[in-house]
Amino acid sequence: MNPAIQACYFVAAVLFIVGLKSMSSPKTARKGVIWAGAGMLVATLATFFYGGMDHYILMIVAILIGGVGAWYSGRKVAMTDMPQMVALYNGMGGGAAACIAGVELFSGEVQAGSIGFLVLAVVGAFIGAVSFSGSLIAFAKLQGWMKKALRISGQHLINGGLLVIALVLGALIMALASLSWALIFAFFAFSLVLGVLVTMPIGGADMPVVISLYNAMTGLAVAFEGFAIGNPAMIIAGTLVGAAGSLLTSLMAKAMNRSLANVLFSGFGADEGAQSEGPQGEMKSMDPSDAGISMAYSSHVIIVPGYGMAVAQAQHKLWEFVQLLQKHDVDVKFAIHPVAGRMPGHMNVLLAEAGVPYDMIFDLEEVNDEFATADYSLVIGANDVVNPAARTNKSSPIYGMPILNVDKTQNALVIKRGRGTGFSGVENELFFAENTNMVFGDAKDVCAKMVAAIKDL
Amino acid sequence: MITGFIALYIFMLAAFTGYEVISRVPVILHTPLMSGSNFVHGIVLVGTMVALGHAHGPLELAIGFVGVILAAGNAVGGYVVTERMLEMFKSSKGD
């Protein structure tokens, strides 16, 4: 590789690190992505001069197809649909890593080289292929193309079997170190099917963990393929993402108090063992305008948004309501649970879209002690993340998950469409508590009514 | 070609860098972290370009071609959505 190209890759790697570092503060985050974008541009342009390459026209056509399509879809997508777009682009990255391995394996070049590179190419191909098909399934589920969490009986056995077959095929490719098309095809096919079957049974509320995991996996796949073809920019960028993504994944899993294996392999909500002792009593309901006026006359309100807010597109009305509260000198804060929504950071995006400044948004650790002193907490479309059973009921499937202490506020208000249970199928005793009032209705309508009520004061 | 232990050193250092760069993760940063890192692995584009550039025969060409499309989608799409999301983030002190 010529030194000028090496230098460009080096600059790109530095820009990626600087960019990622800048992304760890909301003030500089936007600059960070521009730095990283510049790095990407430098590396891509340099690659055109790599030397010994053909098919430039095909290459440019492919870049245009992928780039223009993604540019267009990325510009057009609504903020509420961000999780599936992130899943889709991530899957494409995984697929691309698998394609590199495909070309290398079918050409027989890696087999001819040292065993180390062959192993990396095959492992990267496996991870990339699983991330590709898995992310596409996650996309389809989030997009609503696949409504049910499909569970086949003996799922674990089938998945385990597929995993073993894919690994054996991969090992055979390494051991034989020769070119067998059938073997390579079978290896890719089994890896792809495995990604599909692993992702199928995973429910919507686990999506933040899954998306984050596939992101980390794509990063690793890119790094491995970078080793296999000797490309330092790919090694460094891929490893960075692999590490950062793993950190984020473990954070997500911890926020649900479940291990990664549990998220991936348990049929969560499939076996309802602990339904015997549901909470007793009546839900009290409150009129939206009463709820709005009561909060306007209080001094401290904490708002807990969840996926229901995204579904109802209620963020704009909610922010309008919050601004009215602020005019009445109410101290308002937003409390966000790490796994609220369908991807890490889903709620931040929606609140930012509505115009909520990020210094009003707080972490679970930052804000949890404040619930005890707040006059009102307003839960909007969240359920399991505020269920006190996670603290008290050992038999509950969500037992041990850190929750927002809404039940400790003086008055809890819960906006909810109906009386049903949450994703986990667990009744929420918060809804039956003495100091809780339910405000039934579509989140957006309820917010509009609360706004109207305060304006009439 | 980067070989053996040099490769291992690069891997180890990059992994630590990735981990350290994001040492504490407040909830507000989950978005850029998620979507920004999704963009960064779009660097796979350079690998697919090299693979396509060196491909022989219709099968390799087809796989390489698809690879470049997918990678370009990852890079461009990842950038666009990250930029769009971060553009909206602002503080109440107005900056």
Side-chain angles (χ1 to χ4, degrees):
Chain A
M1 210 186 301
N2 110 27
I5 295 177
Q6 292 279 20
C8 287
Y9 284 165
F10 180 76
V11 170
V14 172
L15 286 172
F16 286 145
I17 296 175
V18 172
L20 213 53
K21 176 73 194 165
S22 308
M23 281 182 221
S24 53
S25 152
K27 280 197 201 75
T28 54
R30 200 174 163 207
K31 248 180 256 156
V33 69
I34 295 175
W35 284 123
M40 189 74 73
L41 206 60
V42 168
T44 309
L45 290 179
T47 305
F48 278 106
F49 303 96
Y50 199 84
M53 297 206 304
D54 278 317
H55 318 302
Y56 283 104
I57 296 181
L58 266 186
M59 204 178 287
I60 291 170
V61 170
I63 292 178
L64 285 178
I65 297 176
V68 171
W71 178 271
Y72 184 74
S73 58
R75 279 267 140 218
K76 251 190 56 164
V77 63
M79 283 300 152
T80 7
D81 295 336
M82 271 313 168
Q84 53 263 50
M85 285 326 273
V86 169
L88 179 65
Y89 298 143
N90 176 52
M92 292 172 86
C99 285
I100 297 179
V103 174
E104 297 291 315
L105 287 172
F106 280 117
S107 74
E109 266 167 42
V110 263
Q111 287 93 326
S114 93
I115 181 76
F117 292 122
L118 180 58
V119 171
L120 287 166
V122 170
V123 173
F126 172 71
I127 301 176
V130 170
S131 171
F132 173 68
S133 58
S135 297
L136 289 192
I137 296 297
F139 167 79
K141 293 180 100 150
L142 290 163
Q143 187 75 6
W145 293 350
M146 206 180 274
K147 283 272 155 52
K148 288 215 36 103
L150 186 73
R151 292 187 185 91
I152 334 169
S153 58
Q155 179 101 40
H156 299 326
L157 281 178
I158 298 174
N159 287 356
L162 281 172
L163 175 69
V164 170
I165 294 174
L167 292 181
V168 168
L169 289 172
L172 275 178
I173 294 178
M174 297 174 207
L176 298 178
S178 68
L179 186 59
S180 156
W181 283 30
L183 197 57
I184 300 171
F185 269 120
F187 165 68
F188 277 109
F190 276 101
S191 306
L192 289 171
V193 172
L194 180 65
V196 170
L197 288 189
V198 165
T199 320
M200 287 274 235
I202 298 176
D206 288 339
M207 276 302 162
V209 190
V210 173
I211 292 186
S212 168
L213 172 70
Y214 283 142
N215 183 41
M217 281 173 58
T218 300
L220 268 187
V222 170
F224 284 177
E225 294 311 325
F227 280 119
I229 63 171
N231 187 311
M234 280 170 66
I235 299 176
I236 293 175
T239 312
L240 273 179
V241 175
S246 307
L247 186 66
L248 192 60
T249 310
S250 75
L251 203 88
M252 291 293 130
K254 214 187 292 164
M256 303 180 92
N257 189 43
R258 294 165 63 197
S259 70
L260 200 52
N262 183 278
V263 174
L264 289 177
F265 303 119
S266 80
F268 195 42
D271 41 52
E272 323 267 315
Q275 284 300 296
S276 49
E277 30 172 342
Q280 304 295 314
E282 275 293 300
M283 294 187 191
K284 294 188 293 292
S285 82
M286 193 187 237
D287 188 66
S289 42
D290 290 346
I293 292 168
S294 329
M295 282 187 273
Y297 283 114
S298 71
S299 60
H300 188 10
V301 174
I302 301 178
I303 299 178
V304 180
Y307 185 57
M309 180 185 81
V311 174
Q313 293 270 24
Q315 63 270 28
H316 300 279
K317 275 286 163 210
L318 178 65
W319 175 229
E320 194 182 340
F321 172 68
V322 169
Q323 284 173 304
L324 286 172
L325 289 184
Q326 287 177 320
K327 277 196 195 120
H328 283 80
D329 289 324
V330 184
D331 176 18
V332 187
K333 281 181 177 154
F334 288 89
I336 313 254
H337 194 277
V339 293
R342 291 294 180 262
M343 72 165 180
H346 193 185
M347 291 299 124
N348 304 330
V349 177
L350 296 179
L351 293 177
E353 184 199 12
V356 179
Y358 59 75
D359 41 18
M360 284 178 72
I361 298 173
F362 294 88
D363 272 353
L364 186 135
E365 289 90 21
E366 286 174 321
V367 81
N368 234 358
D369 295 334
E370 259 185 60
F371 279 103
T373 57
D375 300 314
Y376 283 92
S377 48
L378 175 66
V379 178
I380 171 163
N383 189 345
D384 292 333
V385 298
V386 295
N387 191 344
R391 249 190 262 120
T392 52
N393 183 357
K394 282 209 167 94
S395 59
S396 167
I398 57 169
Y399 179 73
M401 172 166 117
I403 58 157
L404 290 160
N405 294 333
V406 172
D407 57 324
K408 298 196 172 154
T409 2
Q410 330 226 328
N411 301 285
L413 295 168
V414 180
I415 302 178
K416 199 168 176 305
R417 227 169 355 176
R419 287 165 193 269
T421 55
F423 159 75
S424 60
V426 195
E427 280 285 3
N428 193 335
E429 55 191 84
L430 171 72
F431 302 163
F432 299 88
E434 200 55 44
N435 56 351
T436 302
N437 279 296
M438 305 297 289
V439 186
F440 289 111
D442 173 78
K444 196 172 171 181
D445 289 345
V446 169
C447 288
K449 283 181 187 147
M450 294 194 301
V451 166
I454 299 189
K455 277 187 176 155
D456 286 346
L457 278 181
Chain B
M1 214 61 162
I2 309 144
T3 45
F5 274 97
I6 302 291
L8 213 54
Y9 278 118
I10 297 180
F11 185 74
M12 188 261 307
L13 290 173
F16 270 107
T17 311
Y19 199 85
E20 285 303 316
V21 155
I22 298 144
S23 42
R24 210 187 78 83
V25 198
V27 84
I28 186 71
L29 289 176
H30 290 171
T31 318
L33 198 54
M34 176 72 235
S35 141
S37 59
N38 180 33
F39 162 62
V40 168
H41 63 53
I43 189 66
V44 69
L45 177 60
V46 303
T48 55
M49 286 168 69
V50 173
L52 174 61
H54 291 151
H56 304 285
L59 180 64
E60 289 168 40
L61 272 179
I63 298 175
F65 185 69
V66 172
V68 176
I69 294 180
L70 292 175
N74 180 187
V76 174
Y79 184 83
V80 171
V81 298
T82 307
E83 231 274 325
R84 266 185 71 191
M85 287 195 251
L86 294 183
E87 197 179 2
M88 301 181 311
F89 279 44
K90 49 184 184 288
S91 118
S92 58
K93 285 143 210 120
D95 80 77

